[in-house]
Amino acid sequence: MRKISILLTFAAALVLSACGGGGGEDRVAELQESGTVNIGFANEPPYAYENSETGELEGAAIDIATAVFEEMGVENVEGHLTDWGELIPGVQAGQYDVITAAMAIQPDRCENALFAEPEMQYGEGLVVAADNPHDLHSYADIADNPDVTAALMEGTTQFEFLESEGVDSEQFMSVADIPGQLSAVQSGNADVAAATGPTLRSAYESLGSDAVEIVEDFEQPDIEGIPSFGAAAFNLEDEELRDAYNEALATLIEDGTIDEILDNSEGFTAEENRVEAGTVTAAELCEGGSEG
């Protein structure tokens, strides 16, 4: 994996705001000329994260974005770490050229960001206290027990998903990141953590704690938006850049590069996480429709 530099958002924001997204028709040429693309990402393994030991930027979403921009003639990626809830505001403010963390394409998000075509799909998951004392195997099980507290990461689709399954918002505990979710369950401040399946499995395996466990027989809810379809997202004014990204992405899907990245990324396989050609488009997902 090529080493990718990582900058802290608060230190880079002033510089990036002068040269980031929203540049209109010349954005592709600008990036090709500079040779560098600025990517905003949240620290959410296994999609996009900073390796704590090497300091390198890793994850399936990062590897896909890197390959796509290389296909576009932009060789250097600079990563900028920010909170999940600041990704869309950041790309809209011009702090980044693109954001990527396999963010699910949702109609409300499409109002504030310009999504590329889906590059992966994924389902949901749960982490509970050891031995699953509340016998939770689905979002509906959480709804059936009003005493259960669910730790959710700020800005994620799980708030919407759980509410659609009947979970009362009073049962939610909002935390900043995935480790915070597992920590809440481990400490007993929450009974369950809900997030996407690959995210939870990666965090659970990294934690290495006997105090929590992943729900292996989790029942995927039959609701709109699941499976989720993850994609890179751009400033609303950057249609040309988004279109160029889509063209390069399509090339890498067709030649097998995206499958290879998924198969070599922790928590993913091409068989489970690829988006089959013709399955769904970003436009359809932004309108609230999919076959998932």
Side-chain angles (χ1 to χ4, degrees):
M1 180 182 298
R2 213 164 30 85
K3 184 175 181 179
I4 303 171
S5 59
I6 303 172
L7 303 177
L8 293 178
T9 295
F10 69 83
L14 291 178
V15 175
L16 292 177
S17 62
C19 61
E25 295 182 356
D26 297 324
R27 295 289 293 121
V28 177
E30 288 175 4
L31 293 182
Q32 290 172 336
E33 183 175 355
S34 71
T36 297
V37 58
N38 292 292
I39 296 183
F41 73 100
N43 213 30
E44 186 181 1
Y47 305 101
Y49 61 98
E50 179 182 0
N51 186 307
S52 60
E53 295 182 357
T54 67
E56 295 182 16
L57 186 56
E58 299 180 1
I62 291 296
D63 290 346
I64 290 173
T66 300
V68 171
F69 277 104
E70 285 182 344
E71 179 71 16
M72 294 168 59
V74 182
E75 295 290 330
N76 183 44
V77 169
E78 289 190 352
H80 304 273
L81 176 64
T82 189
D83 290 337
W84 174 270
E86 296 302 315
L87 287 173
I88 289 179
V91 77
Q92 279 304 96
Q95 293 176 8
Y96 324 115
D97 300 305
V98 60
I99 54 176
T100 187
M103 181 177 286
I105 304 173
Q106 297 285 330
D108 58 339
R109 291 174 177 168
C110 295
E111 296 177 4
N112 298 295
L114 193 63
F115 280 92
E117 293 300 333
E119 57 195 29
M120 66 175 71
Q121 64 174 321
Y122 46 84
E124 301 291 292
L126 295 178
V127 163
V128 295
D131 298 323
N132 199 354
H134 294 286
D135 198 27
L136 303 175
H137 302 274
S138 67
Y139 289 166
D141 288 341
I142 301 174
D144 290 340
N145 190 339
D147 293 330
V148 167
T149 297
L152 308 178
M153 188 171 75
E154 295 173 1
T156 58
T157 54
Q158 279 69 45
F159 289 88
E160 173 186 333
F161 290 160
L162 267 68
E163 282 190 312
S164 71
E165 288 289 278
V167 181
D168 193 310
S169 61
E170 294 295 321
Q171 296 177 249
F172 297 156
M173 171 188 289
S174 182
V175 299
D177 52 29
I178 297 295
Q181 288 183 266
L182 269 63
S183 177
V185 176
Q186 188 178 22
S187 66
N189 291 323
D191 301 296
V192 60
T196 64
T199 297
L200 282 180
R201 186 169 296 280
S202 176
Y204 166 72
E205 292 175 352
S206 296
L207 183 63
S209 171
D210 293 333
V212 298
E213 65 181 53
I214 197 161
V215 178
E216 297 290 357
D217 58 350
F218 176 73
E219 300 170 17
Q220 295 290 335
D222 184 17
I223 58 177
E224 185 175 303
I226 299 177
S228 297
F229 292 88
F234 300 82
N235 186 288
L236 288 171
E237 298 181 6
D238 278 341
E239 289 190 27
E240 183 195 33
L241 181 58
R242 189 276 314 271
D243 292 346
Y245 186 97
N246 280 341
E247 183 177 349
L249 176 64
T251 296
L252 299 186
I253 290 173
E254 184 176 354
D255 70 14
T257 299
I258 301 303
D259 275 5
E260 183 178 353
I261 290 173
L262 290 172
D263 277 333
N264 286 284
S265 297
E266 179 184 353
F268 298 93
T269 66
E271 182 177 358
E272 292 185 1
N273 302 110
R274 75 160 59 92
V275 180
E276 298 291 350
T279 300
V280 65
T281 66
E284 291 169 342
L285 293 166
C286 284
E287 293 173 358
S290 76
E291 296 184 12

